[in-house]
Structures are given as C-alpha cells and as structure tokens.
Amino acid sequence: MSDTPFDPTHSDSTPSTDEADETQSNGSDGWLRRWRPGTGAVGLPAANLDTPFSSPNPPSPSGIPPTPRVHETNGAVTHVHGGADVVANIVEQLILETRKRDLLEGVEQDREQLLAQPFARSAPGKTVWDQIIAPATGRPHRPVTIMVAPRSCGSTTLALRLLAEHTGGHTTVVKLDADWSTPSRGRLPLEKAHAYQLDLKHPENDQISADFLSALSEHAGHLRDCRSYLVLTVAQDLWKDHRLSERDGIQVVHLLEAPDAQDVVEAHLDAHGYGKLITSLRSFPKATDSLRGLTAVAAVRAARTAAMAWEEHLHAGPTPSLVHTGGEGETTALEERIVAALTDWRGELDSRFGEMSSLQSHDNPSLTVEDRCLLLALAVQQSAPMPVVAHSAAALLEAVGDIPDRPGTAGFSPTRSALAGRGMRRRVQDVGGRVDMQDNVLFDRPAYGRAVLEYVWDNYDVMREPLLTWLVATARSADPEDRAVAALAGLTVRHGTVGYLTTLGELVGGDQPKVLGAVMESAVRNEHVGRLAWAALYGWAEQKSYAPAVITLCRRILEDTSATTDLAKRAMVRLRRVAHKNTDADVVGQVQAAFDALAQHPTAAQRLVGEVERRQQGKGSSTRSGALAFLALMTVTRDGAPWLVRTPPATIDTRRAVHDLLSSPDTAAEVISRLTVWIRACAGDSGDYTQLREQLLPALRGHNMFEAGMKLMNELRDISTAEGVSVADDFYNHLVDSRLRAVFPLEKGLA
C-alpha cells in the first residue's frame, strides 16, 4: 500500500483536458471559490438580504459532486486545504442536493400574477398581516409562520399574497402540495431564496403533532440560513392540542374570520371587467343583504353567480336599464335577476318543505312528497320536455321508496290514483315552473335550482344516498355539461368529505364509471376538496370495480394540455397503481388502451417514457405500467416511421425492453403483434428495415427467445423486403445457426 496521503480530489484515472480545471484546482480561482454563496471578487460589498444567491456549479458527469480537499491525520487534528468556510458551504450544498429526494412537490407561482389577482384587505386579515410582517425589514418576523383559520376563510389567498408582497423579487414563491400520509419535516423542501406556502387541511393526513412542530423549529433555522420562508395555513379544527404553540423560529397567528363578503365580490367583479355591475349591485339592498356572513369561498362563488346573471340579463335584453324605472317597490329586471341569483331561498324553501298535508292547497305552500320529487327534478333539468320531467320525478319517487300502493291494497289502481290527483301541468305551476304550448317545462331558475338541491341535502340526511343514486341514473352521458353530472359535481365540490366520497364511489363506481370519472374530475381540480379526491382515487385504483373510473379520469387529465404538472403527476401515479394492483385482463386492457391513446399526445408520451425508465431502473411499482407504456410508445410514428425505431429517446434501452416483453408470457403476444407493425412499416425502405432488423436481432438471440422468435417469424410470413425477400426467411437466416437449420426447419417451426 502506498504511503502517499489520499487526496480525494484526484481520481485514479487522468482527467481529460476540459475537466482538469474543474476537478483539480484548489486555489482561489478554482471550483471551491465559486461555490461560496454571496461572494465575488475581492473588494466587493457583502450580499444583503435581497441579493440573490450565486448558483452552485453543476454536478459532475458521474452524478457525484466533487469532493473537497479535506483529510484527517493521526490524532485529533484535522487539516483543511482551503478555507474552512468554503468547505462548510460545500457540505451545505451537498446536504441540500441530497434532501431533494422524496420531497413535497409544488407549483412555482408567478409573482406578478399573484399581485394582480383579486384581493380584499379586511380588518381581520390586516391584523394578521401586521402581526407577521416586521416593519423594519418588510419581511416576515420568523422563517416559519403558521396561520390557523376556519375552513373556507381565505387563508391560502392571504398567505400567497403576503409572500408575493413581502419577499424579495429574486425569491421564488412556491405553493406546495401536502402529498403525505402525515406531516413530516423530512418531506419539506429547502432551497435558497424560496418562499413556500403549504395548506394543511386534510382531516386525516394533516394532523399536526407537537413532535412535528419541534422538528419544524429546527427546520426554521435552516430556512433562515437560506433566506427562505414557509407559511403553513392550518384548518382550525386541526389545531386542538394544547401542546401546539410557538417554538423558536415559528410564529403562530390566528385568522378569526373571512374578509367582508361584499368586498370579495366586488374585487372579483372588478378584476374581470364587471365595473358597471358593481355600481348596480350596490344599489340593490336585497342583493347586498344576501352577501352578509358568507365565507370567502362562498363569496367568490357569489361573484361568479352575479356575473352569470348579468350576462343572462344582457342576452335577454340588448339595452338593459341599470337603475330603478318606476315608483317605490318597482325594480328593474336586472335587480330581480341578481336578487334571485344571490339569495339563498331558505325562507321560501322552509315553507315548501314544511309540515305537509296529503293534498296540495293554496293556503298551504308546503309540497307533497310527489311534488318535492318534481321540484328536485326541475332543479336538475331546468328546461326539458314534459315526459322527461315526469319520468325523472317518478324515478326519484321510486328511488326514495315511496311508490303508490299496488292494485288491490287500497281499493284503487295506481292509474286511478294518479288520475284522481292534480295534473302534471298544475303540479309544475305549483312548484314554480311554467309549461309552454308544446308541453315543454320552463324552469329558468338555475340559482334557485342549486338552492333546492343544497337545501334537501342539508336538511334531509336520509335523502342523500337516494339523491345520489337518482342523479347517477338521470345522467344521459358522462359529459360535464350534462345536467345531472353538473349537479353531482356541484354537490361533490360543496360536500366532498371523506365520507361523502366513499358513499359516492360505492353508489356510482360499479354502474357508471364514466360518470364517476367526470364528477371526480371537477373535484380534483378544486383547490378545497382536490386532495381528498386524489386520496380517494388512490385507494380506488387497486379495486377492480373502481378501476374504469380512475382510468377515465386520469386519461382526461393527462390529455389536457392545460393541466398543471402536479395534476398530471398525480394522474400518472394512479394509473400506475391501477396497472400494478390489478391482474384482471380486462382492467389491464383498459390501462393499455389509455396508454395507447396518451402516446399520441407529445406531452403525455414523455410521461410514458418516464414509466419505461422507471421499469428499467428496477422500480417495482412500475414493472407492469412500464411494460404497458413501452407497448403504447411502439404505436407512435414520426415522419412516417416508428418513433422507437428511427429516433428513440436516449433514456430508453429499446433492445432490452423488447427482450423483456418477448420473454414474458403476459406480453409476448402483444409485443409480437406490434413488432409486426413495425417491420411492415419499415420493409419498403432498405435502410429503415436494416436498422430495425439490427435492433431486434440481439433481443431475439437472448435467453429463452426461441419460442418468441418462431412466433414472430410466423407473423412475418406475408411481408417482403424492398428486394422481394421474405422477411420471415431473412430473420430465420440471421437467427438460426446453419448447423441447426436441418433440426429446426422454418416450415416445421411455423406449422
């Protein structure tokens, strides 16, 4: 063994010329100096709080960062070649690089867009704002801020706006996604000059513990060193433990109430160009009264509703009047429409769903059971032919279980009992609808319809499952524009608790998977119930009955070019889980069909490339999905030739993938059929055919490839090259040794 001290900066091999100055120099002008954050040439002033950090050198080609020149001699003395602070900074960079594994991911926010979004500065929010920001620096007092607030109170919007206004322009604002089963400090990202925002609102996965806060206190020190910040917005019902309190580096603030609802509505209307509507809205006392007490989420929805009512009014009359046109008590059509859109209708619905008699009477506004079912049918359908409305109402009545007595049980047949009651037209009128001369029911009251559905849901617990069952049965398609699907989506976004999603899945998953997929698509895109919806889909992915719904939803997300990276990643994870957890041939076939369709979209195709990479890297959960992804990529053509033949991605080992699929009985038949398509597409061009053949021959010569090779040649019998040579004979002559051809003749093997 050599007595020469080990120098970790020198490898055993001699570096190339272009690498020498990056790996060997240790002087003031070498790579160590450039890794020091905030330092430059001698004589320059030190960096201040708003000075961006210098970027570290890129990692070495081998993926292992250069090792600093540090070694220990005998005894306790450590010799450091170069500045100790330099080495410390290098170690810090190495730690940061290591911690990037398995961290929470997020979406980088555009600061200008955040500052341009509608925002209402209410008194409660201003109080919290002033508590967080240090007047002297204009930055948060502490690296970690925990904002505790009731749900739907606008805490997320407040936190992002605060970070956009009170962090340096070079600081990257990131909205993190808490994709974990329990809060963990080790999952929190840590990079220089970053401002993170994270919602903790999942009733099960975001339960905060005292241990997590203690670890978060240590994390706060690292954030301070990196000049970064973290704001956690925590649902009030998750902040129960008396041990949850401030720690070193952590500030806890409480947002007690939402901003004034009218301020929120006006801010959103103004941001979307409805300035004239704001003026009119202020002159409608009944409309503004209905806004009082709304949460921030409900106020945003009210703004959208008011804008819809405005557009409907403009469509109904090209020159609407925006002021009162008559005497006291007379209002314009616009005011009537706005008031109708914003009111919650609880007073009227209390009378409609009050104590009832067996028959409808003019002095009793309460409806019979039959009429309540009719009102719900109108609330969903809005306007439809009379037979459609009648059938829908009858279906709901049957779903409730309150159907007329059968013949012989009460002396009257169902037909006579129906004839003895009020006619359908009268019943429609009694619940607030109209019937035209063609017997079409007109119920142009969308806001009232939503209020009816929500009222029944909130006040009749026993009606929830029948209501969901009926809405699913009423859906004519899986189109989000379908009235029943839209109603289901509205209820899901409003009431998307864990229990609700479980019930919805049980009632819908097996019979109407496409409808369930369309409804859940609305849920996963909603910022308030999205995480719960994705969590439910993750569990459903391993169940055969739910798999079609999960596949439908994930395919729609991945085909949507406007979907965020986070949504697409979550969809890919769940598709992978469907493939991994289900062995049923029908389910696997559905995943393959989805992958085949996704492969035709360039962005989605890159995600399938990632699945193949995961399989070839030995990541177990991607074994089947990686195989299906490669099969799908085999269908992609570029410039008239198979993509994987002419210009395959550098990260995929095509020969290895083909060999693996041919050697597996689960995929051999499918890959052979797709290889046949490849060969048929290339056979007419000598260059393409030769290139493809040379790619396939090594895979076919592998272990246990005889049977697969003979089956492939059987499929190639009717294909000829540009020179007229049989492709089957050509492959046979290249694959089978001349000494064995008498033992394994092509004709016998193909018989």
Side-chain angles (χ1 to χ4, degrees):
M1 180 178 292
S2 171
D3 293 328
T4 305
F6 171 66
D7 186 347
T9 63
H10 290 77
S11 62
D12 293 336
S13 59
T14 303
S16 60
T17 304
D18 59 344
E19 292 177 342
D21 59 348
E22 294 293 324
T23 59
Q24 292 182 336
S25 174
N26 198 28
S28 60
D29 296 326
W31 60 271
L32 289 178
R33 181 63 58 187
R34 289 198 298 276
W35 271 37
R36 294 185 63 186
T39 61
V42 177
L44 290 180
N48 59 39
L49 287 176
D50 290 331
T51 301
F53 288 94
S54 60
S55 300
N57 281 350
S60 63
S62 65
I64 304 175
T67 309
R69 295 191 58 172
V70 182
H71 71 275
E72 181 175 312
T73 59
N74 293 333
V77 179
T78 301
H79 295 270
V80 179
H81 297 266
D85 59 333
V86 175
V87 175
N89 278 300
I90 294 170
V91 174
E92 175 189 354
Q93 291 291 342
L94 297 180
I95 293 173
L96 293 181
E97 289 297 319
T98 303
R99 290 195 71 257
K100 288 182 180 179
R101 304 172 185 172
D102 196 31
L103 298 180
L104 297 182
E105 296 189 359
V107 178
E108 183 175 328
Q109 305 293 300
D110 185 279
R111 187 182 300 269
E112 297 302 322
Q113 289 184 4
L114 286 177
L115 295 175
Q117 288 178 358
F119 183 66
R121 291 185 184 272
S122 62
K126 187 177 184 306
T127 300
V128 169
W129 191 292
D130 292 341
Q131 290 174 350
I132 296 173
I133 302 302
T137 62
R139 300 288 183 262
H141 279 287
R142 299 184 185 177
V144 176
T145 302
I146 298 179
M147 187 185 303
V148 183
R151 295 178 185 272
S152 304
C153 199
S155 58
T156 302
T157 300
L158 178 65
L160 288 172
R161 181 70 176 225
L162 183 144
L163 292 175
E165 289 193 24
H166 290 283
T167 56
H170 67 281
T171 300
T172 303
V173 181
V174 179
K175 179 175 174 54
L176 295 174
D177 177 33
D179 187 16
W180 53 24
S181 57
T182 186
S184 169
R185 175 241 173 156
R187 299 288 306 280
L188 296 173
L190 176 63
E191 294 195 51
K192 292 185 176 182
H194 276 62
Y196 303 103
Q197 186 275 324
L198 177 62
D199 284 328
L200 297 184
K201 298 178 180 179
H202 194 290
E204 297 176 358
N205 297 350
D206 292 340
Q207 291 285 344
I208 298 178
S209 66
D211 290 340
F212 171 68
L213 287 186
S214 298
L216 193 60
S217 176
E218 182 179 350
H219 184 69
H222 297 307
L223 286 169
R224 182 183 289 110
D225 293 339
C226 291
R227 301 175 198 164
S228 295
Y229 302 94
L230 170 64
V231 177
L232 303 178
T233 50
V234 181
Q236 194 173 56
D237 53 282
L238 299 179
W239 194 262
K240 300 175 181 178
D241 198 322
H242 70 279
R243 297 172 298 168
L244 304 181
S245 59
E246 291 189 359
R247 306 291 204 274
D248 182 38
I250 301 176
Q251 181 181 16
V252 180
V253 295
H254 293 265
L255 179 63
L256 301 179
E257 57 185 274
D260 181 77
Q262 185 167 342
D263 290 344
V264 174
V265 170
E266 292 184 1
H268 279 263
L269 292 178
D270 182 64
H272 292 88
Y274 291 98
K276 292 183 178 179
L277 176 56
I278 295 175
T279 303
S280 301
L281 187 63
R282 290 173 178 172
S283 66
F284 301 156
K286 291 183 179 179
T288 54
D289 288 347
S290 65
L291 298 177
R292 292 174 184 164
L294 294 182
T295 65
V297 174
V300 173
R301 185 171 64 172
R304 294 172 182 164
T305 301
M308 290 171 55
W310 167 269
E311 296 293 346
E312 291 169 357
H313 182 69
L314 293 180
H315 180 72
T319 57
S321 173
L322 302 183
V323 297
H324 292 285
T325 58
E328 185 177 355
E330 183 179 353
T331 61
T332 64
L334 174 61
E335 180 174 2
E336 293 176 353
R337 190 178 287 272
I338 293 292
V339 171
L342 295 182
T343 186
D344 60 14
W345 298 103
R346 281 178 293 185
E348 178 178 333
L349 293 174
D350 282 340
S351 63
R352 292 288 192 187
F353 290 87
E355 293 294 332
M356 70 172 189
S357 59
S358 59
L359 297 175
Q360 175 74 24
S361 61
H362 290 290
D363 58 349
N364 180 12
S366 183
L367 302 174
T368 64
V369 172
E370 294 88 343
D371 289 349
R372 296 179 187 198
C373 292
L374 173 60
L375 179 57
L376 284 166
L378 291 175
V380 173
Q381 299 294 337
Q382 291 295 305
S383 299
M386 179 82 77
V388 173
V389 174
H391 177 76
S392 180
L396 176 57
L397 186 62
E398 184 172 359
V400 172
D402 188 4
I403 59 176
D405 292 333
R406 298 300 179 188
T409 59
F412 293 101
S413 68
T415 304
R416 183 171 179 178
S417 296
L419 186 61
R422 288 170 297 128
M424 191 67 183
R425 182 185 299 270
R426 175 61 183 277
R427 291 175 58 198
V428 168
Q429 294 170 350
D430 285 340
V431 298
R434 293 185 295 114
V435 182
D436 66 11
M437 297 301 294
Q438 286 74 41
D439 278 346
N440 287 313
V441 178
L442 307 177
F443 195 75
D444 186 19
R445 307 174 72 182
Y448 180 59
R450 288 194 297 271
V452 170
L453 286 170
E454 292 172 3
Y455 185 92
V456 171
W457 183 273
D458 293 342
N459 290 277
Y460 297 92
D461 183 73
V462 296
M463 272 294 297
R464 293 179 178 180
E465 288 194 17
L467 188 62
L468 292 176
T469 303
W470 166 69
L471 283 171
V472 174
T474 304
R476 298 181 180 181
S477 70
D479 191 328
E481 300 299 321
D482 182 271
R483 298 286 190 182
V485 173
L488 274 169
L491 287 173
T492 302
V493 169
R494 185 171 183 263
H495 303 286
T497 62
V498 173
Y500 173 93
L501 294 172
T502 300
T503 301
L504 178 68
E506 292 173 348
L507 295 175
V508 186
D511 299 330
Q512 295 279 4
K514 292 184 177 180
V515 171
L516 180 59
V519 171
M520 292 298 286
E521 183 178 3
S522 298
V524 298
R525 293 179 183 273
N526 183 272
E527 62 179 321
H528 302 290
V529 302
R531 281 189 61 211
L532 289 174
W534 279 121
L537 288 164
Y538 189 81
W540 293 351
E542 62 182 50
Q543 302 180 46
K544 178 183 176 182
S545 59
Y546 290 124
V550 178
I551 295 170
T552 298
L553 165 63
C554 295
R555 176 176 169 178
R556 291 172 68 120
I557 294 290
L558 291 166
E559 288 179 343
D560 182 4
T561 56
S562 64
T564 64
T565 302
D566 176 61
L567 279 178
K569 177 186 175 183
R570 286 177 173 271
M572 198 69 236
V573 167
R574 279 142 189 84
L575 266 183
R576 182 189 307 144
R577 187 168 176 81
V578 172
H580 180 60
K581 291 292 185 178
N582 290 271
T583 57
D584 182 79
D586 183 54
V587 173
V588 174
Q590 291 180 51
V591 177
Q592 184 67 74
F595 279 5
D596 288 349
L598 291 171
Q600 311 312 314
H601 300 266
T603 302
Q606 289 303 316
R607 295 196 172 275
L608 297 182
V609 170
E611 288 300 293
V612 180
E613 292 174 9
R614 287 176 59 89
R615 171 187 169 91
Q616 295 190 335
Q617 291 168 4
K619 297 184 177 180
S621 63
S622 295
T623 300
R624 183 176 291 130
S625 64
L628 301 181
F630 185 84
L631 288 171
L633 292 174
M634 292 180 73
T635 66
V636 179
T637 59
R638 302 281 169 84
D639 300 325
W643 179 38
L644 295 181
V645 174
R646 181 169 290 177
T647 55
T651 54
I652 290 182
D653 186 341
T654 304
R655 185 179 72 180
R656 173 186 168 191
V658 170
H659 176 274
D660 291 345
L661 296 180
L662 283 172
S663 61
S664 170
D666 295 331
T667 54
E670 189 65 34
V671 73
I672 285 173
S673 68
R674 301 192 183 211
L675 285 175
T676 303
V677 174
W678 275 10
I679 296 171
R680 193 181 300 277
C682 296
D685 186 292
S686 298
D688 286 347
Y689 171 73
T690 302
Q691 177 185 353
L692 174 59
R693 185 190 63 195
E694 297 309 311
Q695 287 181 356
L696 296 181
L697 288 176
L700 292 169
R701 291 191 181 106
H703 184 59
N704 293 332
M705 284 292 105
F706 178 79
E707 182 178 357
M710 298 302 285
K711 287 181 179 179
L712 174 62
M713 286 183 281
N714 183 41
E715 296 292 326
L716 303 179
R717 282 183 298 178
D718 63 337
I719 306 175
S720 299
T721 66
E723 292 77 17
V725 177
S726 168
V727 172
D729 290 338
D730 188 37
F731 270 79
Y732 178 80
N733 291 332
H734 280 85
L735 286 173
V736 181
D737 188 282
S738 58
R739 294 168 295 180
L740 299 177
R741 291 173 188 169
V743 182
F744 301 105
L746 181 60
E747 293 75 14
K748 181 178 294 185
L750 297 176

